[in-house]
Amino acid sequence: QVQLVESGGGLVQPGGSLRLSCAASGIIFSINVMGWYRQAPGKQRELVAFITSGGSTKYADSVKGRFTISRDGAKKSVYLQMNSLKPEDTAVYYCNADVLRSSGRGDYWGQGTQVTVSS
């Protein structure tokens, strides 16, 4: 079974930084796309950023210039460097991966990690 394990969430003051990490484990042929989503209280889950196996990236307008997504193909990991954090960035952040296994392609999700930006 594919598992995504996240780390790096926590409490930070406005203007601070956090780095989220997510590593995929299990029997995996390849990972095409990895990304980060977030869900704030009272809101729907939304895309924060994603990165393809070729290195193409996309960011939500709200985080452009502040967040940077990267990946390590050998480690099957994705990272999200979050700078200049704002209170509105407070949410549960979820790692997502488009995974190719013997049974075919499927989307997998991490357990979610809480990011709280507050004074």
Side-chain angles (χ1 to χ4, degrees), residues 11-81:
L11 174 65
V12 65
Q13 293 184 333
S17 298
L18 286 173
R19 181 177 173 87
L20 305 183
S21 300
C22 173
S25 63
I27 302 174
I28 300 170
F29 290 161
S30 64
I31 302 176
N32 184 33
V33 180
M34 300 187 80
W36 292 93
Y37 291 72
R38 68 186 181 186
Q39 187 166 20
K43 295 185 178 181
Q44 297 295 312
R45 188 174 299 185
E46 64 177 353
L47 174 70
V48 178
F50 70 75
I51 184 168
T52 70
S53 60
S56 298
T57 59
K58 184 177 181 180
Y59 297 89
D61 288 341
S62 59
V63 307
K64 286 181 179 178
R66 300 188 298 119
F67 292 9
T68 302
I69 190 169
S70 61
R71 68 184 292 170
D72 185 329
K75 296 182 178 180
K76 298 182 177 64
S77 298
V78 64
Y79 310 93
L80 186 68
Q81 179 67 45

